[in-house]
Amino acid sequence: AEDPDLALFLEETPKPALDLDPLPDRPLRLGLALGEPPEQSYAATLSDVQIAVITHPSNPVHRLSAAELQALFSGQIQNWIELGGSDQAVTPWALTPADESRQLFENVILSESKISGQTRLAADPAWMLAEVSVDPGAVGYLPATWLNEGVQAAGLEPALAEGLRLPLLGLAANEPQGAARRLLICLQSGSGQQLLSSLLQVP
């Protein structure tokens, strides 16, 4: 509101391809990304994003512990009936190894266990949403910002949910000045935090 002549252009790109170097027609370049910041870049923490465990809406198992998740994704549990659910084969889904949600999930849940060879690979959260929403035996995970009515989020113990959070970072090639700095400060302020919480589904 204080910069009526300022234009803000949005574009989506994979984190590895994120280019923060200024261009002649875009002198201010900011990025938003989850997880660790790229090397040699400025990073400001804006919020945290919950990693949600998702299942098909028809699945009667509504809460999962860390031990149960480990058993599901390592292949020790292969039928939901073992957790009090329906007689339905478990279909675990994982994001690609480079995805920071997967790296966090495996560090917190699997620890030294190996992911099951039966685990299917989703190229991105949209792909995982589409697959889990049509498979009654599916289980997966993704940032809570992607949740929709096609899946249900499993209840997690508070300590486990806290461990499954990734920082949302505001990134720049160098410490921002001017309008870019004011934008980051706004996002870190009360009104900006309220907006981010609603957009990111932060409890």
Side-chain angles (χ1 to χ4, degrees):
E2 296 176 3
D3 296 283
D5 296 325
L6 180 67
L8 182 64
F9 297 93
L10 301 177
E11 59 184 65
E12 293 187 23
T13 184
K15 187 176 178 182
L18 186 62
D19 183 4
L20 299 172
D21 292 331
L23 297 174
D25 60 333
R26 285 177 289 175
L28 301 176
R29 303 200 79 191
L30 296 175
L32 293 178
L34 293 177
E36 295 297 318
E39 293 184 4
Q40 299 179 338
S41 64
Y42 172 86
T45 301
L46 303 178
S47 186
D48 289 323
V49 173
Q50 181 72 57
I51 304 304
V53 175
I54 60 172
T55 58
H56 189 270
S58 67
N59 194 325
V61 179
H62 298 300
R63 295 191 63 82
L64 291 166
S65 68
E68 290 168 339
L69 286 170
Q70 183 183 56
L72 287 167
F73 280 89
S74 65
Q76 298 173 45
I77 291 179
Q78 299 188 7
N79 194 301
W80 284 101
I81 202 168
E82 299 179 59
L83 296 177
S86 306
D87 185 6
Q88 178 74 48
V90 174
T91 308
W93 280 88
L95 294 168
T96 60
D99 188 279
E100 300 212 15
S101 301
R102 172 170 174 168
Q103 295 169 17
L104 176 65
F105 185 85
E106 292 190 357
N107 286 338
V108 172
I109 299 299
L110 291 177
S111 185
E112 297 181 2
S113 300
K114 291 185 178 180
I115 195 167
S116 168
Q118 303 300 314
T119 301
R120 300 183 182 183
L121 193 64
D124 53 41
W127 186 324
M128 183 174 290
L129 273 178
E131 295 294 341
V132 175
S133 68
V134 297
D135 182 356
V139 60
Y141 56 85
L142 40 65
T145 51
W146 286 86
L147 289 175
N148 63 23
E149 66 281 355
V151 298
Q152 67 179 354
L156 303 175
E157 300 160 351
L160 176 57
E162 187 62 30
L164 290 176
R165 288 180 178 269
L166 281 173
L168 174 67
L169 304 176
L171 304 172
N174 300 293
E175 185 171 354
Q177 303 298 323
R181 182 181 181 87
R182 292 196 296 276
L183 175 59
L184 289 180
I185 291 174
C186 174
L187 291 174
Q188 291 177 319
S189 71
S191 58
Q193 287 293 293
Q194 290 178 7
L195 177 61
L196 285 175
S197 293
S198 63
L199 293 174
L200 300 175
Q201 303 188 35
V202 176

